[in-house]
Amino acid sequence: MDFGRKTPTHVASSQRIDIPFDALVRLSTDGLALVSHDGLVLAWSDAASAITTIGSEAAIGASFSALFNNTQALIGMDGTPAHVTLTPVSQPALEIRALATATSGGHLISFGPQRRFEQIEQLKNELLATLSHELKTPLATIKAFATTLRENPFDETLDRDDYLRTIDQQADRLARALDGLLRAARVNADQLLRRRERIALDRLLEDALAELPLEAAEHPVERRTLGIDVCGDPALLREILVHVLRNAMMFSREGAPIEVSGSTIGASTAISVRDRGIGIDAEHLPYIFERFYRAEPKMTASTSGAGLGLFIVRALVRAHGGSISVESTLGSGTLVTITLPVRE
């Protein structure tokens, strides 16, 4: 079926391209409908039926404007497509997001649930707020402290070492935020596991703690890891432990111990990290692995983070063919268990 579209600039051929409607239907998770110039529905996908609750028997051959309200707004005054909220005439309370584009035979219309667009908009706002905080705050601190040092080169009352230490810490925070965002992009691109080798869990733990010198100094680590091996990419396994340990230390009072243990279960290794910190409310547990998710402000107000840590951890664990679970009691601490297959 010829949709009458101009050849995209990234397509080498200048020939018109015929795209069968059924091929688009198979590729798209959105609902799709083909409407003629005189407004009659010519084709209707199963997804369109599921989203709009209008079956193909009722839709095909019917007038599109008789099925939905607000259809005249689908094409803007200048002829460009516009996102429009439609409501089925039979169910005016059901809001559906639609977008139409002109074809040689009429219009191709895609449907999506209104709530999904609202969720995407909310996620975008949360991302912008997170980026603003995670990038702007350390940059502002670095700028302020560096300016003070530069403008007061001979002021002996300034603790220059303390200022430089703060600049260094904020630069590390900025680097972690950027690294988290880049890692999240790599997660989406499925570019994770590059190599796999056997490594002692005790050594892996030492390497992870070496990346947490300040946090680790405030929390004694009780370990039961001797004689336990894990299998995977050493750099990624270390990153998994760093994220989990940093969370455990971040949400525990100073001096509270962190317990790390390992065990062999059949052909898998289980790594457990337990803290005695503030814990996680049961209502938040189902969402802690979602991107940019952070618990309620009163629990995280004193901590920084983009809400990417556990999202990345789960992706890295899955890339190794493993699984991760979290058990927590508010006020009593959290137990994170990572299970990884042992492969030669």
Side-chain angles (χ1 to χ4, degrees):
M1 181 176 292
D2 180 8
F3 284 163
R5 302 290 299 276
K6 293 183 179 179
T7 304
T9 56
H10 60 274
V11 175
S13 171
S14 62
Q15 296 178 350
R16 292 162 62 89
I17 300 173
D18 292 339
I19 305 175
F21 182 78
D22 59 349
L24 283 180
V25 169
R26 288 194 299 270
L27 289 172
S28 177
T29 56
D30 289 337
L32 292 173
L34 189 63
V35 179
S36 66
H37 283 301
D38 56 2
L40 299 181
V41 177
L42 304 178
W44 190 260
S45 72
D46 290 340
S49 297
I51 293 169
T52 67
T53 72
I54 300 173
S56 58
E57 299 85 359
I60 294 177
S63 168
F64 190 75
S65 59
L67 298 174
F68 296 96
N69 299 308
N70 200 32
T71 58
Q72 69 279 2
L74 271 173
I75 302 297
M77 295 297 292
D78 58 354
T80 59
H83 280 288
V84 172
T85 299
L86 302 180
T87 57
V89 172
S90 59
Q91 295 190 64
L94 177 62
E95 293 186 336
I96 295 162
R97 194 74 161 177
L99 177 68
T101 186
T103 75
S104 59
H107 293 94
L108 180 65
I109 301 173
S110 66
F111 303 101
Q114 176 73 10
R115 65 180 180 274
R116 188 178 69 185
F117 286 86
E118 293 171 351
Q119 289 168 350
I120 292 172
E121 187 67 20
Q122 181 180 358
L123 180 61
K124 181 185 73 175
N125 293 336
E126 290 174 355
L127 172 59
L128 291 175
T130 297
L131 287 176
S132 175
H133 180 267
E134 290 303 313
L135 302 183
K136 187 176 181 179
T137 301
L139 280 174
T141 303
I142 291 170
K143 173 68 174 175
F145 277 60
T147 299
T148 300
L149 290 174
R150 181 174 56 81
E151 294 179 351
N152 301 276
F154 305 111
D155 190 342
E156 296 182 357
T157 64
L158 291 179
D159 188 340
R160 310 186 79 81
D161 286 342
D162 185 58
Y163 273 52
L164 291 172
R165 188 180 305 109
T166 300
I167 290 173
D168 186 54
Q169 291 172 350
Q170 292 300 314
D172 286 343
R173 175 180 171 183
L174 183 60
R176 285 198 300 269
L178 290 172
D179 185 65
L181 293 169
L182 291 173
R183 178 68 74 187
R186 288 186 62 198
V187 166
N188 287 340
D190 196 25
Q191 300 171 348
L192 293 173
L193 193 58
R194 297 299 186 190
R195 63 193 178 107
R196 189 186 293 273
E197 63 184 63
R198 186 183 290 266
I199 182 173
L201 177 56
D202 210 44
R203 175 188 159 194
L204 193 66
L205 179 58
E206 285 292 343
D207 291 344
L209 290 174
E211 293 193 25
L212 300 165
L214 296 178
E215 296 91 335
E218 299 176 354
H219 299 277
V221 177
E222 301 173 358
R223 63 183 74 187
R224 292 186 293 277
T225 56
L226 195 61
I228 302 296
D229 289 342
V230 291
C231 188
D233 185 314
L236 299 183
L237 292 174
R238 182 177 66 251
E239 183 172 351
I240 290 171
L241 276 181
V242 166
H243 277 297
V244 175
L245 287 168
R246 180 177 285 124
N247 273 0
M249 295 170 180
M250 188 183 300
F251 295 106
S252 295
R253 66 184 185 280
E254 186 174 347
I258 308 296
E259 302 172 12
V260 182
S261 60
S263 60
T264 301
I265 306 173
S268 298
T269 298
I271 307 169
S272 298
V273 178
R274 181 187 294 276
D275 67 63
R276 304 295 179 185
I278 61 176
I280 304 169
D281 197 304
E283 67 176 292
H284 295 290
L285 281 176
Y287 312 107
I288 59 174
F289 292 110
E290 292 185 5
R291 188 173 4 197
F292 305 117
Y293 185 83
R294 299 191 76 208
E296 57 194 49
K298 67 181 180 181
M299 296 174 61
T300 59
S302 62
T303 65
S304 64
L308 288 169
L310 287 178
F311 167 77
I312 293 170
V313 165
R314 184 175 64 171
L316 296 178
V317 170
R318 286 179 170 178
H320 284 79
S323 62
I324 181 171
S325 63
V326 176
E327 302 173 33
S328 188
T329 303
L330 195 61
S332 299
T334 301
L335 171 65
V336 177
T337 303
I338 300 164
T339 304
L340 301 168
V342 177
R343 298 172 182 168
E344 298 298 337

